[in-house]
Amino acid sequence: MRINFDPSELDRNTFYKLLTAVVVPRPIAWVSTTNRDSGTDNLAPHSFFTVSCVSPPIVQFTSVGRKDSVRNVEETGEFVVNLAPEHMFEQINQTATDFPSDVSEFDAVGIAREPSLRVKPPRVAASPVALECELHSTVRLGDSTVVFGRVVHAAVSEAVMVDGHPDVKKLRPLARMGKNEWGTLGELWEINRIPLEEWPDLLGR
Ligand SMILES: Cc1cc2nc3c(=O)[nH]c(=O)nc-3n(C[C@H](O)[C@H](O)[C@H](O)COP(=O)(O)O)c2cc1C
């Protein structure tokens, strides 16, 4: 037995709550931007976030509605995706407060900046990964704007590297679930991809 939900019969928020409860877990892009006119640095979490292209390297996040982050990105063409680490859980949540545009979440919440190498918006100093991005394009979809950013520089803390590779157990990324639920890294498994030759029933088709 399944329960059926028709988005055309439900109000926006009801279906939004359903979608965000079932598209889980979502990584959190902690997006820093800078206001073009005032120079105010903005910081906000976005869990509608993923990699969208390998070559060139492009990541995307979605602004639901028109917010400071998306406006700054459109006006300056730059942003930084900072990895949201477990130990900054409360600060990340505090930067989701709807502060006025002339208030920097870095200062209001007390988050240390560090300069980026290739773009103007600063990085979060205590986050282990910063992806510095130049705006590739935006796509308006209904009430939302998808922002695509070309990654022009990646800065990874030495402390999270193991054998030349970022180690997820050291990164300790946060994830967003439905409602106000957040999660941390669960159990880890490793498994190799199975080559076609190892599916005997399909060989000699
Ligand atoms: C964990 C988390 C994830 C969020 N994900 C998104 C998102 O994907 N898109 C969005 O528009 N807002 C998202 N929000 C809400 C924004 O962070 C919030 O509206 C924030 O005030 C926007 O800041 P800004 O106006 O400075 O850009 C999220 C909030 C939290 C706590």
Side-chain angles (χ1 to χ4, degrees):
M1 267 298 277
R2 290 180 187 258
I3 300 170
N4 300 304
F5 298 90
D6 180 345
S8 67
E9 285 175 4
L10 294 170
D11 67 89
R12 172 203 186 271
N13 283 346
T14 305
F15 205 75
Y16 165 76
K17 282 184 187 151
L18 182 85
L19 265 185
T20 51
V22 297
V23 182
V24 283
R26 296 185 305 283
I28 301 172
W30 207 8
V31 176
S32 46
T33 56
T34 299
N35 183 289
R36 182 189 56 190
D37 303 321
S38 64
T40 305
D41 295 322
N42 196 90
L43 186 62
H46 289 79
S47 72
F48 292 7
F49 164 63
T50 193
V51 175
S52 20
C53 185
V54 175
S55 180
I58 294 175
V59 292
Q60 68 179 81
F61 72 89
T62 296
S63 177
V64 182
R66 303 292 301 166
K67 299 178 177 176
D68 293 339
S69 303
V70 70
R71 196 205 50 237
N72 291 347
V73 172
E74 286 183 341
E75 290 182 359
T76 65
E78 297 184 332
F79 64 97
V80 178
V81 171
N82 303 275
L83 185 139
E86 189 180 311
H87 70 96
M88 301 188 84
F89 167 51
E90 278 170 309
Q91 287 157 303
I92 293 163
N93 185 51
Q94 286 163 1
T95 63
T97 296
D98 191 16
F99 292 113
S101 300
D102 60 349
V103 172
S104 170
E105 289 82 3
F106 280 96
D107 302 327
V109 176
I111 294 166
R113 301 163 169 82
E114 70 177 23
S116 293
L117 195 73
R118 293 283 307 274
V119 297
K120 197 162 170 219
R123 306 171 189 156
V124 172
S127 166
V129 179
L131 302 176
E132 300 180 8
C133 298
E134 285 175 0
L135 178 62
H136 174 277
S137 52
T138 56
V139 176
R140 298 267 179 116
L141 299 172
D143 63 2
S144 300
T145 305
V146 189
V147 176
F148 295 94
R150 183 173 180 148
V151 181
V152 292
H153 184 71
V156 181
S157 163
E158 258 181 2
V160 300
M161 298 295 282
V162 173
D163 298 334
H165 200 69
D167 186 300
V168 74
K169 291 197 266 327
K170 294 188 182 291
L171 290 170
R172 306 292 310 168
L174 282 165
R176 187 70 199 264
M177 314 292 168
K179 297 185 271 186
N180 279 333
E181 296 159 344
W182 302 51
T184 55
L185 198 59
E187 206 178 325
L188 281 177
W189 297 325
E190 283 193 50
I191 188 168
N192 291 329
R193 195 89 70 89
I194 306 166
L196 183 59
E197 301 74 59
E198 290 184 23
W199 294 93
D201 292 352
L202 288 176
L203 286 179
R205 259 194 321 160

